[in-house]
Amino acid sequence: MVPSHENPDWVESDRTTPTTPDGRSFRRIVGTDVDEALAFFTADYDFRTPRVRRTGNRPMWDFAGVGDELLSLRSSRFLVDLRTESAVDDKFLVAWLRAGSSTLTVDGRSVDLEPGVPLVLPDRYELHHRDIGVNLVELDRAHLRALVGDDAFAFDPLRRPTAEGMRVWQAAVREHTRIWLGADQTLTPAARRSIVDAFATAAVEAFPHRERWQSTVTGNGPEHARLRLALEYVHAHARDAIGTAEIAAAAGLSPRGLQQSLRRHLDQTPGDLLRSVRLDGARADLVRGDRDETSVADIARAWGFGHLGRFSATYRARFGELPSESLRTR
């Protein structure tokens, strides 16, 4: 995406950040000092306790990037063996490998980056880079969420895009990268915003993202991972005859452990969770239903509510209207 840095004119000595005529910042750096490289990359990617091993006589590193507060296109190379933890809180990062190898680990699950295959990076992860060359697109998180109209929007990180998703993302990269990286040309505010929104829209279309409930459990520890398994199981099987025992087994927890984990992180019991998911499912069916062909009783039974009166009362307490009123609003 950004060319490599063989040109010695790209070396920066004072580490200042120049700007383009329209105010975008750009940096082009090449060096061989490992400590200098770690200081530079740590400032942007919050490397924690990095551990470096040389893989050759000359640990070359370089970086190029053009960006503003909403979008940054970056390319970097670091010819060492690097292990560290990393964290980014205010951006969505899309990365794809150009050279070398990289393994990212989250919640004990490791994923190897594949050359040319873009992935959205997690907020927190362990990395192992080996003579890496990588491209990055950084998108401002708040802006993307405002664009999609969901302040809890989140990608499901480290999941490959579909073939169509790859096509959408690659088309955006081809169409807009050269223009954005033209550091010597001026882009109007409207043109800059158009490119920002094109990348953000392409990311939303291309990469798997979490449903809102998938963002309710924050944290990356083993307990958080098991609790996410419990939530995934409930959402996948809410129409089935399941209860605490089945949910706990799916999450690798004891029934007591499930109860404690749900109470600690979501302030719910397993029954509360299952009932909430079933109510959401019933509401979605009612809102989409045809009032001339849809029965409230049939939908209630399909979602595990055997007593219509109790279902209606619980539904009204949750959504502020009766099931029949939701059906009529279509």
Side-chain angles (χ1 to χ4, degrees):
M1 180 172 58
V2 180
S4 61
H5 315 277
E6 301 301 335
N7 186 338
D9 292 339
W10 290 11
V11 178
E12 281 189 17
S13 57
D14 60 3
R15 293 299 181 261
T16 58
T17 303
T19 58
T20 65
D22 54 47
R24 288 170 293 143
S25 63
F26 71 93
R27 297 190 80 168
R28 293 174 174 173
I29 308 171
V30 61
T32 58
D33 188 297
V34 172
D35 291 335
E36 189 176 47
L38 286 176
F40 177 79
F41 290 123
T42 296
D44 273 350
Y45 303 112
D46 195 14
F47 285 176
R48 303 176 181 187
T49 63
R51 303 175 301 284
V52 174
R53 181 175 61 83
R54 291 174 181 258
T55 58
N57 293 329
R58 194 179 185 210
M60 174 76 72
W61 71 279
D62 55 46
F63 171 88
V66 177
D68 62 12
E69 68 278 5
L70 299 181
L71 172 68
S72 180
L73 306 187
R74 300 181 167 200
S75 179
S76 60
R77 181 174 50 157
F78 199 7
L79 301 186
V80 297
D81 185 295
L82 168 66
R83 297 175 185 265
T84 187
E85 297 177 359
S86 185
V88 178
D89 294 319
D90 58 347
K91 310 283 187 184
F92 288 124
L93 304 186
V94 180
W96 60 100
L97 199 64
R98 296 194 329 269
S101 62
S102 178
T103 301
L104 306 184
T105 302
V106 181
D107 296 334
R109 179 175 69 97
S110 295
V111 174
D112 292 329
L113 297 187
E114 301 176 56
V117 178
L119 298 176
V120 178
L121 302 187
D123 297 338
R124 304 281 189 279
Y125 55 95
E126 299 174 15
L127 64 83
H128 182 193
H129 290 336
R130 297 167 294 277
D131 295 332
I132 192 174
V134 65
N135 288 340
L136 280 168
V137 174
E138 297 188 356
L139 294 161
D140 180 74
R141 185 170 304 196
H143 179 73
L144 187 146
R145 286 175 168 173
L147 191 67
V148 300
D150 182 355
D151 60 6
F153 178 89
F155 291 99
D156 198 359
L158 297 183
R159 286 185 56 194
R160 288 181 59 118
T162 63
E164 176 62 17
M166 282 283 289
R167 187 196 66 76
V168 168
W169 181 252
Q170 290 172 346
V173 171
R174 283 194 302 268
E175 182 176 355
H176 300 293
T177 294
R178 184 178 297 277
I179 299 172
W180 187 263
L181 295 180
D184 57 347
Q185 63 179 310
T186 300
L187 296 178
T188 66
R192 286 171 59 181
R193 180 62 177 270
S194 176
I195 294 175
V196 169
D197 289 353
F199 272 103
T201 301
V204 172
E205 293 181 12
F207 300 105
H209 49 84
R210 292 181 177 274
E211 300 295 339
R212 181 177 285 269
W213 63 266
Q214 292 175 302
S215 302
T216 58
V217 179
T218 58
N220 293 317
E223 182 181 12
H224 301 95
R226 286 192 287 268
L227 189 53
R228 290 189 188 98
L229 287 175
L231 294 177
E232 289 171 6
Y233 180 82
V234 170
H235 280 82
H237 297 277
R239 290 176 179 266
D240 302 333
I242 62 172
T244 299
E246 291 79 10
I247 301 169
L253 294 166
S254 67
R256 179 64 175 164
L258 174 67
Q259 291 168 350
Q260 292 175 335
S261 187
L262 279 170
R263 180 61 69 188
R264 181 160 44 245
H265 293 284
L266 300 180
D267 195 24
Q268 288 183 315
T269 67
D272 292 336
L273 171 63
L274 183 56
R275 183 167 49 254
S276 176
V277 172
R278 285 173 167 170
L279 283 169
D280 287 342
R283 179 173 177 79
D285 283 354
L286 287 165
V287 171
R288 289 194 300 262
D290 186 325
R291 63 178 177 268
D292 295 325
E293 300 178 1
T294 304
S295 163
V296 171
D298 287 344
I299 288 178
R301 284 192 293 269
W303 285 98
F305 297 99
H307 191 287
L308 186 57
R310 283 198 291 270
F311 167 69
S312 295
T314 304
Y315 187 98
R316 184 173 188 176
R318 171 72 179 277
F319 301 114
E321 62 184 16
L322 291 170
S324 56
E325 294 173 314
S326 295
L327 182 60
R328 287 199 298 270
T329 59
R330 184 180 183 276

